[in-house]
Amino acid sequence: MPDEKQIPGQAPEQADPRYKETLLLYDESNHAVQAVSDLRHSGNDYQVITTQPLSENAPAFFQLKDSPAAAAFIAGFKSQKDKENFRFLRVAADKVGEVVQALHNLTNDPKDEAGLKTLRDHAVTSYQLDKVKFDTPDLHLQELQQMGIIVSPQELEAMKLGLPTKEIHDLNFKLGNMSVVGQFALSPYRDKNKEVQIGLQSVLARPEYEREEYKLAFSTSDRETLAAGRTLDRLVELPNPHTGEKEWCHVGLNRATNRFVTVPHREVKEIGYFNGVRLTDAQKEIAMTGGRFRVEGCQARNIPDLTYAGTVQFDVFSREYRMTDYAYNRPYIPASLDKQLDDRQRTALTGPDGLDCSKEKEKPILGKNGKPYTCVLRIDPKTNGVVFDFSNQRRQEQEQEQKQHNQQARSEEPKQSRGRKR
């Protein structure tokens, strides 16, 4: 079932069936922004045709409807000399004006928070675009709306990447002479003619691996892995749900529908590097069989002396190789926090109990808003990030509230009158 509960009486947020995306070209050297109207290349020459990002020019804006092709162009464009300052931004066509206005703030103040956030939110790389399997215009949003299916923006993003959706739709409609009734998740796919179709996956009462035909295909360990929401560390030969043809797949389980999530191994690109580390032939061989392998010596971004290691495996839920079981060569304390700490505080921060900021009265630890922290700070060894633990503070507040409540109850107790002696 869906992870997020809908508030009774509140209409679910819906992806706009008319939604269109375009590209902007941003020059970091002078903060200039142009709207892309066309992408042209011949041989090794890549040209971006642009226009002013004004509402009257909207009909000329480039429509992003073939993300892999755009990804290939951007990769070629960025490989040219003198193009390192240019960044592409992916923007909803009707939000171009808002995005451009926010970016213009960087002209006067390169550290403007709203401008930098806009840049982070919309910047897109060739790698990100290449992951898109289904562009928005191909996903039949208008037809789904007519069938009474409300596609959320989060669901739309998952469908574009070919990821398993967790939203469940209660459907009751007629399709020709056939009635469709039940609970379904949406599953886009390409048919034999390469046309995009939207499949309806019904919700199973029990996990699919418990079906009779799969009882011998999955071990007890396999079932535990699938039930835990992880990808198996081996390939399994399974029938394609649309063609019936068997192929070797990476396999997981969509716990919202209890159905397999499969990615044919032929669709997984061969991996040669992971986070800048060149893989050995042995690691590549393990990757080819769907297994897990250890990678060490990954360099943390912008921190020269910080490295990490972990276990890498192809993940069907993100359709990319992911690292787990992170191990860092040392704890990392952000500079804004580190400059406030002495040796005792650093030791406490990196220890298992953390640093209780509520006790730092003489030298309070300040947040970005300039106010003292009152929580416990600690470094999460799995992510090397700072954890803000307010559990002690909430417990103290609850104890204080209970104490005040008890005092109030005692003060309101009726006083017993004393009888007179005769």
Side-chain angles (χ1 to χ4, degrees), residues 9-180:
Q10 181 187 43
E13 186 180 7
Q14 181 174 3
D16 187 352
R18 300 165 298 176
Y19 179 78
K20 294 180 180 179
E21 288 182 323
T22 188
L23 294 173
L24 300 179
L25 187 65
Y26 176 73
D27 189 343
E28 291 184 309
S29 63
N30 58 13
H31 308 292
V33 188
Q34 294 288 320
V36 174
S37 60
D38 197 9
L39 303 175
R40 299 176 185 174
H41 82 276
S42 177
N44 294 325
D45 183 36
Y46 294 81
Q47 293 184 355
V48 181
I49 310 303
T50 62
T51 185
Q52 290 294 317
L54 306 174
S55 57
E56 55 263 34
N57 294 335
F61 290 172
F62 178 80
Q63 185 175 350
L64 183 59
K65 53 185 178 180
D66 188 346
S67 292
F73 177 91
I74 291 175
F77 178 83
K78 295 286 287 183
S79 69
Q80 298 180 115
K81 293 182 179 180
D82 305 324
K83 296 297 189 295
E84 62 272 9
N85 289 329
F86 289 98
R87 299 179 70 176
F88 286 86
L89 310 182
R90 181 170 53 186
V91 181
D94 60 348
K95 301 293 183 182
V96 167
E98 297 177 20
V99 172
V100 171
Q101 183 59 49
L103 293 174
H104 277 166
N105 295 337
L106 296 173
T107 304
N108 299 322
D109 180 8
K111 295 183 179 181
D112 179 75
E113 290 188 7
L116 291 174
K117 183 179 186 303
T118 299
L119 189 59
R120 289 193 302 269
D121 290 347
H122 294 281
V124 67
T125 64
S126 58
Y127 172 75
Q128 291 170 317
L129 287 174
D130 196 45
K131 289 175 61 180
V132 175
K133 290 192 64 177
F134 307 100
D135 283 284
T136 304
D138 298 326
L139 290 174
H140 306 290
L141 294 184
Q142 289 184 327
E143 291 90 333
L144 291 173
Q145 186 182 52
Q146 293 169 1
M147 294 163 59
I149 298 176
I150 305 298
V151 178
S152 71
Q154 295 79 12
E155 188 177 15
L156 175 61
E157 287 304 309
M159 292 170 66
K160 287 168 60 177
L161 297 176
L163 302 178
T165 60
K166 297 180 181 180
E167 290 82 353
I168 303 301
H169 300 272
D170 292 304
L171 301 183
N172 186 351
F173 64 91
K174 279 199 170 184
L175 190 62
N177 295 325
M178 181 177 65
S179 295
V180 178

Side-chain angles (χ1 to χ4, degrees), residues 98 141 189 233 296 339:
E98 297 177 20
L141 294 184
Y189 66 96
D233 59 0
E296 299 184 353
K339 66 183 181 181

